[in-house]
Amino acid sequence: MSVLPLVFTSGWASGINAYAVVLLLGVFGATGLADEVPASLQRTDVLVVAGVLFLCEAVADKIPYVDSVWDSVHTVIRPVAGAVVGALLAGQSGSLSDLAAGAIGGSTALASHAVKAGTRMAVNTSPEPFSNIALSTAEDLGVAGIVTFAVFHPTAAAVIAAVLLAAGLAVLVFLWTRIRRFLRRRARGREEKRLAAGARAAAGPPG
């Protein structure tokens, strides 16, 4: 399939920022810069919704702990978006090749989402917010650059995306200790809040 490199790259990018992928591909298709983009991604309503959600993600993704909540919500959304975009890029006939493209886009998106979500958990173990802002900005620029590059040079972009995905998975394994520490701290915080609420309820109203 000649469109497979673009499917793989869009899947990788969807795992990081699915709304940016839909927005960029739609704009490229609507302006005539890319012939592979299906008409459904070029619709005005799709572009408007993707643009609004992209702005929401651009803000939420740069706030410590809020970014992890946002990632949790998008654990299903990003892989589904990667699968849908992959299937649309391959065609809309429901053939085996379309389903395969959807599977590739979805699984790649799931892998890159796991890297992003896990990395954010590790970054959130740091008390300062600047690392979140820097990492989120780098992700936004990386997605924009890779998707744009993929439109014109899909095979080279797919190779870059594969290298970035492999490197990200390696970093995720390395950071797993910090991630577990973050999860334990968050669970401990929830337990402390629950106990405090129970103590206030048992004490009853003052006076």
Side-chain angles (χ1 to χ4, degrees), residues 38-116:
S40 55
L41 294 180
Q42 303 178 34
R43 290 170 40 182
T44 302
D45 56 340
V46 173
L47 294 178
V48 170
V49 172
V52 171
L53 291 174
F54 168 74
L55 292 176
C56 292
E57 174 146 342
V59 175
D61 206 40
K62 294 174 176 60
I63 303 174
Y65 297 104
V66 174
D67 58 351
S68 289
V69 174
W70 185 269
D71 286 337
S72 298
V73 173
H74 284 74
T75 299
V76 175
I77 296 175
R78 287 170 182 159
V80 169
V84 171
V85 170
L88 289 174
L89 288 172
Q92 302 181 54
S93 62
S95 64
L96 182 60
S97 60
D98 296 352
L99 296 176
I104 291 172
S107 58
T108 306
L110 179 61
S112 61
H113 166 76
V115 171
K116 172 175 179 167

Side-chain angles (χ1 to χ4, degrees), residues 106-129:
S107 58
T108 306
L110 179 61
S112 61
H113 166 76
V115 171
K116 172 175 179 167
T119 303
R120 288 308 181 84
M121 289 182 185
V123 169
N124 280 331
T125 61
S126 174
E128 45 77 29

Side-chain angles (χ1 to χ4, degrees), residues 183-195:
L183 293 175
R184 284 198 300 266
R185 186 170 64 181
R186 190 167 64 172
R188 186 167 58 250
R190 286 197 299 263
E191 181 64 17
E192 290 173 352
K193 289 181 181 179
R194 188 185 66 81
L195 292 175

Side-chain angles (χ1 to χ4, degrees), residues 18-29:
Y19 306 124
V21 173
V22 173
L23 183 61
L24 284 169
L25 289 177
V27 169
F28 283 132

Side-chain angles (χ1 to χ4, degrees), residues 97-196:
S97 60
D98 296 352
L99 296 176
I104 291 172
S107 58
T108 306
L110 179 61
S112 61
H113 166 76
V115 171
K116 172 175 179 167
T119 303
R120 288 308 181 84
M121 289 182 185
V123 169
N124 280 331
T125 61
S126 174
E128 45 77 29
F130 304 107
S131 54
N132 296 75
I133 297 174
L135 185 57
S136 176
T137 302
E139 289 171 350
D140 292 341
L141 293 175
V143 166
I146 291 296
V147 172
T148 301
F149 188 57
V151 170
F152 302 101
H153 305 283
T155 302
V159 172
I160 295 173
V163 171
L164 291 174
L165 180 59
L169 291 172
V171 170
L172 184 61
V173 172
F174 178 75
L175 293 176
W176 181 242
T177 300
R178 296 189 66 179
I179 294 172
R180 287 196 303 175
R181 189 185 309 130
F182 167 77
L183 293 175
R184 284 198 300 266
R185 186 170 64 181
R186 190 167 64 172
R188 186 167 58 250
R190 286 197 299 263
E191 181 64 17
E192 290 173 352
K193 289 181 181 179
R194 188 185 66 81
L195 292 175

